[in-house]
Amino acid sequence: MIIGRKDEAERLARLLSAPAAESRTVLLRAPSGFGKSALLDVVIDRLRGQARPVLLVRPTDGDRDLVEPLLRALRRYFETDSSSDLLPVVAALAGLRTTSPTVPANDLPLAHNLGTVLCALAASRTTAVVLDDLHRVPRTALRPFALALRRLRLAGAVVVAAVRDDDTVHDLELRGGLDSAVVPLPPLPAEHLTELIARVSRSQPDQAVVDAVRAALGAADGEPAAAQSLVRNGLDTGALRRVDGSLALADDRSGLALAGDHPTMR
């Protein structure tokens, strides 16, 4: 279990195990650095434990739409399942190369092709589609995909998506016509910070370290990703040191800081 997210993980589990979960849409909403991807990994493990095939669509910074991430996800899927009943999915993929979401007039053809691919997959398996890092593609790229998700829901699939803000929730729900459950992810509770530091450093922090980490986080206090980055950077720079299984400041004047390439520092 990821630290400080027991309630959210249990709520997701209830939503995905409810009688209507065969065709449910769940949106996990939180700002960057709050642990959405880590919680999605828990969701994926749970879905696979229910013998549901999972299609993980995770864009990168180089993607201009969701077609390439979907193709990568399908290639990974086919590596573990090359059954003959997936041939309709392969045939439907041809249409994805012929349209582009950068041209508004092509939204409907692209949505149709995306829906055909996903529904062909759902027809052969009770499939879960997991969407992560949607902020990496333009919002306009969500339009055809959101329209395709409506068809996917009707085909009996479950959709789980991590989103950063209400605008993305609005785009997915309005354009896709989704009846979704939104699970907000709050800042990491302060009482879990010590546990997080201990896991990252593999040593028990004293109170001075915990106080120094919170002070250094500043506006990023409550972001698990920022706290982890801060501790790792402190170990790398020597500002933090391990002593007989404990984690301490190198000296009372040691300053902790996020690495220069951390998003908060840009």
Side-chain angles (χ1 to χ4, degrees):
M1 179 64 62
I2 55 176
I3 295 171
R5 301 305 189 201
K6 180 180 178 181
D7 291 346
E8 291 76 21
E10 290 180 349
R11 184 181 177 194
L12 285 169
R14 289 194 299 270
L15 289 170
L16 295 173
S17 61
E22 290 298 323
S23 59
R24 184 181 293 278
T25 300
V26 179
L27 303 180
L28 181 62
R29 184 193 64 210
S32 175
F34 272 47
K36 297 187 297 298
S37 295
L39 194 50
L40 278 186
D41 289 339
V42 174
V43 170
I44 290 170
D45 287 344
R46 181 176 294 273
L47 290 169
R48 287 175 174 158
Q50 298 170 355
R52 290 190 187 183
V54 176
L55 188 71
L56 174 59
V57 181
R58 185 171 271 162
T60 63
D61 287 332
D63 292 320
R64 61 187 179 87
D65 55 44
L66 286 170
V67 173
E68 287 301 324
L70 176 61
L71 291 174
R72 291 196 299 269
L74 286 167
R75 281 195 291 270
R76 290 192 298 269
Y77 189 99
F78 292 146
E79 286 174 359
T80 58
D81 191 336
S82 56
S83 303
S84 59
D85 58 359
L86 292 177
L87 291 178
V89 184
V90 179
L93 287 174
L96 292 182
R97 294 292 192 181
T98 63
T99 53
S100 170
T102 59
V103 182
N106 283 339
D107 273 359
L108 289 179
L110 181 58
H112 173 77
N113 289 331
L114 284 168
T116 299
V117 170
L118 294 172
C119 290
L121 186 62
S124 64
R125 300 284 190 278
T126 303
T127 304
V129 176
V130 179
L131 308 171
D132 194 14
D133 291 337
L134 293 179
H135 63 279
R136 296 184 184 276
V137 297
R139 285 183 61 187
T140 53
L142 294 179
R143 296 185 302 198
F145 205 84
L147 291 170
L149 291 182
R150 181 176 177 83
R151 287 182 61 192
L152 182 63
R153 275 280 306 278
L154 294 174
V158 61
V159 178
V160 184
V163 298
R164 280 188 172 186
D165 51 47
D166 287 331
D167 287 340
T168 307
V169 172
H170 182 267
D171 281 352
L172 288 174
E173 290 184 321
L174 180 64
R175 298 183 184 278
L178 299 180
D179 179 18
S180 59
V182 179
V183 179
L185 200 58
L188 182 72
E191 61 267 26
H192 293 290
L193 181 59
T194 301
E195 184 182 358
L196 180 65
I197 296 171
R199 179 176 294 183
V200 174
S201 66
R202 298 180 180 179
S203 50
Q204 187 62 33
D206 60 29
Q207 189 57 46
V209 169
V210 177
D211 293 342
V213 168
R214 292 201 67 183
L217 285 171
D221 190 17
E223 294 184 19
Q228 293 177 64
S229 176
L230 187 67
V231 172
R232 291 191 182 104
N233 192 52
L235 290 168
D236 290 343
T237 61
L240 295 174
R241 59 175 181 157
R242 300 183 182 93
V243 181
D244 296 329
S246 297
L247 185 69
L249 295 171
D251 60 64
D252 292 340
R253 297 184 301 280
S254 293
L256 290 175
L258 289 166
D261 59 352
H262 190 273
T264 306
M265 304 299 291
R266 294 174 187 169

